[in-house]
Amino acid sequence: MTDANDPAPPEVPTGHEVIQGYLRTLDASPGVYRMLDAQARVLYVGKARNLRARVSSYARPTGHSGRIAQMIRETASMMFLTTRTETEALLLEQNLIKQLKPRYNVLLRDDKSFPNILLTGDHPFPQIRKHRGAKREKGSYFGPFASASAVNRTLNQLQRVFGLRSCTDSVFASRTRPCLLYQIKRCSGPCVGKISQEDYAATVRDAERFLSGRSTGIQEKLAAEMQAASDAMEFERAAALRDRIRALTQVQTAQGINPHTVSEADIIALHLEGGQACVQVFFIRAGQNWGNRDFYPRVGADIEAAEVLEAFIGQFYDGKEPPRRLLLSHPVDNADLLAQALSEKAGRKVTLTVPKRGEKAELVEGAARNARESLARRMAESATQARLLKGLAEAFGLQAPPQRIEVYDNSHIQGSNAVGAMIVAGPEGFMKNQYRKFNIRGDDLTPGDDFGMMKEVLGRRFKRLLKDDPDREKGVWPDLLLIDGGAGQVSAVAQIMAEHGVGDIPVVGVAKGIDRDQGKEEFHRTGQRPFALQRNDPVLYFIQRLRDEAHRFAIGTHRAKRAKAVGATPLDDVPGVGAARKRALLAHFGSAKAVSRANLADLKAVDGVSGKLAETIYAYFHDKG
């Protein structure tokens, strides 16, 4: 117990005088510095070509922008790490910014990976498909594409022109008749011998040339083949080649928006307004426009465009391979340093330019226009979202508009393939990078036990929160939970929350209401009578959108899990049996059931299956008793 007469703890000194004290021990080395507040929280991470010179600029009492002056006033200590080169300092700075998320740095908040097209390289008849994530699989990768829809459009075009297969290896191995894609001329039917391996390999090479921007030569080659087939009176083959030429012509016509003078570049344009920023990135690969994506980095009110773009480029390419050229809307202060760092990362030369005339300038101007319009839409939507959150707080008696709403839903069919889903919404709308799915693991659950599933999902969710952020300082704790259900579900959830010591978080159940009619929803809270909102209340529409989004995400997750289970076979669990040996076994025996019944001698006769592996497979299926 503290005595009232005890002296108060000394106040931690902060400000430019504290920063001044570090100058005595600093030299002119390049490196990274961190500015920390009185609670040792990182306020800012920066790089410097000369640490002493950079820190001395913060030690001056005047001449700073409002944002920097406030940061200096809060600084109680600093940390330093010297590097051999300024390029190393730049890379380290971006890693620390992404890891620590300091308050005064420009932060790129949406940093998920972009999809690519993969032509697999571990099969006699390569598969073409969408790929996202690390490039660990064997094959040729083409991208990045701005979105999944851009990839799907391109895949659709490639199927029409080249007839490459999209089915999985296991489906390919088990086909005995051509699938629907063959019937509608979207696949050449390699699974049932409708095309030879040599001819299929030739179409794969054509597809690679098309994705590399060399489509003109393909059209000439197809035209020559069609003429040769016609001369040889192979009219069916000539007609098939004619259809491919037509499809390729349609693709090229639809790609009239593609640039003529830029083969590989990212076009990056920034628009700043009202203390907010939007960065538009257009992806140009193989002379084709592969779509665009907008980003909204966290910035301050008095920040300069050069600082925003430099921070964005550093963070954006931290986990991505840069193209050969970046076309920018604004110059950046350390363009030579950024270019050197990106060149080292890519293993080839990368240039940064701000074009002033010609097609390149027009491309940047178009991206800047998109950035301006996107930011205007976002600011309008944010104002509407703020009104809805305020109305939500009034409807549910919350102390303040919620900054993070988590909505939970379950999906299953009679208890099978059960999944839980969580979506998140806040002042900027749906936060899709925060969505989470939960595979229900409870072996003791009764099939269809929604209460039990919700208990497992919330238990896992709040155990993780209590472990990762016990002090609720990282902004990942919800201000409001919405669940699909009535008084019983709300009571069960309240009990779960109390068991984890987080009973202070408001929980609202959304029940269908009378006749289960949309618009007649009833809302339930612990210890309160259920109530409804007016049918024309915008807050009611907002809640319906939240519930429908959770339902959509839960059903999509469940379908994906069910589809994976349908395609699974017992061979997936046999030690030592990978994709290639699985294909060989299925091709030899016809089905996984036939493999399980095979004797040891038959297993040893399969191509690629050693005697030891044959014994492992035999033991797996026969030693379970």
Side-chain angles (χ1 to χ4, degrees):
M1 188 172 185
T2 305
D3 194 304
N5 296 321
D6 286 348
E11 189 172 323
V12 178
T14 60
H16 61 87
E17 293 178 354
V18 170
I19 299 172
Q20 181 79 37
Y22 287 98
L23 292 176
R24 293 189 297 271
T25 58
L26 290 175
D27 57 21
S29 301
V32 173
Y33 59 92
R34 280 174 274 183
M35 307 175 84
L36 295 83
D37 65 9
Q39 286 75 45
R41 292 175 299 205
V42 179
L43 298 170
Y44 184 80
V45 174
K47 68 177 181 310
R49 183 173 295 169
N50 181 325
L51 278 172
R52 180 178 174 81
R54 177 59 57 85
V55 173
S56 66
S57 70
Y58 292 119
R60 296 195 307 267
T62 58
H64 305 290
S65 67
R67 180 176 68 98
I68 300 300
Q70 179 62 32
M71 180 181 73
I72 291 171
R73 284 194 293 271
E74 295 180 28
T75 299
S77 62
M78 295 186 71
M79 295 176 65
F80 303 94
L81 182 63
T82 59
T83 58
R84 290 176 299 174
T85 65
E86 193 183 0
T87 303
E88 287 184 9
L90 172 67
L91 298 174
L92 179 58
E93 176 201 34
Q94 300 308 329
N95 287 339
L96 288 174
I97 289 172
K98 292 182 75 171
Q99 177 186 344
L100 301 172
K101 296 180 171 53
R103 191 192 327 163
Y104 287 98
N105 279 97
V106 175
L107 291 182
L108 174 58
R109 291 178 285 193
D110 181 7
D111 192 28
K112 59 187 176 185
S113 64
F114 293 91
N116 289 265
I117 284 178
L118 169 62
L119 266 166
T120 58
D122 58 351
H123 195 280
F125 295 93
Q127 173 198 17
I128 189 167
R129 60 181 167 85
K130 178 171 61 180
H131 176 88
R132 193 191 290 270
K135 298 177 180 178
R136 297 193 184 96
E137 294 183 60
K138 235 176 128 180
S140 302
Y141 293 85
F142 301 91
F145 289 78
S147 63
S149 60
V151 172
N152 293 337
R153 281 196 302 272
T154 305
L155 286 174
N156 188 33
Q157 294 166 355
L158 290 169
Q159 285 181 310
R160 289 170 55 205
V161 176
F162 302 109
L164 301 182
R165 74 175 180 96
S166 57
C167 58
T168 64
D169 291 350
S170 59
V171 170
F172 180 93
S174 61
R175 293 298 305 184
T176 57
R177 293 183 301 170
C179 67
L180 178 63
L181 287 175
Y182 174 79
Q183 307 296 340
I184 62 173
K185 299 182 180 179
R186 296 292 177 92
C187 180
S188 53
C191 56
V192 289
K194 296 293 185 181
I195 184 173
S196 69
Q197 186 173 335
E198 292 76 16
D199 288 344
Y200 190 88
T203 61
V204 169
R205 288 193 295 272
D206 286 344
E208 288 176 333
R209 281 198 288 270
F210 173 79
L211 287 166
S212 301
R214 302 193 298 274
S215 57
T216 306
I218 298 170
Q219 201 158 1
E220 293 172 355
K221 173 175 167 284
L222 291 175
E225 289 181 11
M226 182 182 71
Q227 186 61 48
S230 178
D231 293 343
M233 292 190 288
E234 297 175 0
F235 299 119
E236 190 173 342
R237 173 172 164 74
L241 289 165
R242 178 203 61 203
D243 292 341
R244 286 177 63 187
I245 293 170
R246 284 179 180 173
L248 188 58
T249 303
Q250 286 181 341
V251 169
Q252 291 169 335
T253 303
Q255 291 176 345
I257 58 169
N258 294 334
H260 301 291
T261 59
V262 180
S263 61
E264 180 183 334
D266 281 353
I267 302 163
I268 304 175
L270 166 70
H271 183 72
L272 284 169
E273 184 177 339
Q276 297 188 49
C278 176
V279 178
Q280 278 278 344
V281 183
F282 280 75
F283 303 95
I284 307 296
R285 297 293 185 277
Q288 303 173 35
N289 185 339
W290 283 356
N292 65 300
R293 176 77 68 84
D294 48 2
F295 299 86
Y296 302 91
R298 191 189 74 189
V299 298
D302 55 359
I303 199 164
E304 297 294 329
E307 183 180 351
V308 176
L309 265 188
E310 181 181 342
F312 175 85
I313 292 168
Q315 293 175 51
F316 184 71
Y317 293 108
D318 181 53
K320 303 177 181 69
E321 183 178 340
R324 298 180 184 277
R325 177 179 290 173
L326 306 185
L327 302 179
L328 310 180
S329 61
H330 298 76
V332 294
D333 293 334
N334 297 290
D336 56 341
L337 177 63
L338 276 172
Q340 182 182 346
L342 294 175
S343 298
E344 289 181 8
K345 179 180 179 61
R348 50 179 166 70
K349 187 176 180 181
V350 176
T351 61
L352 282 69
T353 56
V354 182
K356 300 297 183 185
R357 63 181 67 85
E359 186 185 42
K360 297 182 182 68
E362 291 174 4
L363 291 169
V364 172
E365 184 182 341
R369 183 177 62 253
N370 275 271
R372 183 175 62 252
E373 293 170 355
S374 295
L375 185 58
R377 286 193 297 269
R378 183 180 178 87
M379 292 172 74
E381 290 167 2
S382 295
T384 302
Q385 189 78 356
R387 288 194 295 271
L388 290 172
L389 293 175
K390 183 179 179 182
L392 196 67
E394 293 171 355
F396 295 151
L398 308 179
Q399 294 181 351
Q403 299 301 296
R404 182 183 175 98
I405 305 168
E406 293 186 357
V407 191
Y408 292 86
D409 197 5
N410 299 324
S411 184
H412 58 90
I413 295 179
Q414 295 180 342
S416 66
N417 299 311
V419 294
M422 176 192 86
I423 69 148
V424 183
E428 296 173 356
F430 292 118
M431 302 159 64
K432 296 194 175 184
N433 61 339
Q434 298 287 309
Y435 288 13
R436 296 292 180 269
K437 55 187 178 184
F438 302 83
N439 289 315
I440 304 298
R441 302 170 182 159
D443 297 327
D444 56 343
L445 290 178
T446 305
D449 179 7
D450 285 331
F451 284 177
M453 293 180 198
M454 188 60 70
K455 182 175 182 179
E456 180 180 331
V457 168
L458 290 175
R460 285 162 57 187
R461 170 66 178 153
F462 284 99
K463 278 180 186 174
R464 171 58 65 89
L465 283 176
L466 288 166
K467 178 184 176 183
D468 293 348
D469 187 22
D471 299 323
R472 306 191 186 187
E473 294 179 343
K474 298 181 180 178
V476 293
W477 281 78
D479 304 311
L480 173 66
L481 295 188
L482 289 181
I483 61 169
D484 188 14
Q489 281 88 343
V490 170
S491 177
V493 169
Q495 182 181 349
I496 297 166
M497 307 283 280
E499 290 173 2
H500 288 85
V502 291
D504 58 318
I505 299 175
V507 179
V508 176
V510 184
K512 291 290 194 299
I514 301 170
D515 301 327
R516 300 180 65 81
D517 184 17
Q518 183 160 307
K520 297 181 180 180
E521 285 85 352
E522 289 184 345
F523 303 101
H524 297 260
R525 291 199 60 183
T526 307
Q528 299 182 17
R529 296 186 62 179
F531 67 96
L533 295 172
Q534 294 290 329
R535 287 185 74 111
N536 59 353
D537 192 331
V539 174
L540 176 60
Y541 297 145
F542 178 50
I543 295 169
Q544 289 171 351
R545 280 179 57 214
L546 293 173
R547 182 197 59 199
D548 293 346
E549 173 68 1
H551 194 52
R552 179 201 66 79
F553 184 59
I555 288 177
T557 303
H558 167 70
R559 284 175 178 164
K561 184 177 181 181
R562 195 171 75 233
K564 187 176 181 181
V566 167
T569 76
L571 294 174
D572 296 329
D573 300 321
V574 180
V577 176
R581 289 192 178 106
K582 180 179 167 184
R583 277 198 306 271
L585 288 163
L586 289 173
H588 186 91
F589 292 103
S591 69
K593 183 177 282 189
V595 175
S596 70
R597 293 173 177 171
N599 60 40
L600 193 56
D602 289 338
L603 289 169
K604 289 179 179 179
V606 178
D607 219 13
V609 175
S610 65
K612 186 176 179 181
L613 180 58
E615 291 174 4
T616 301
I617 298 169
Y618 185 83
Y620 178 84
F621 288 112
H622 293 83
D623 293 352
K624 293 190 172 183

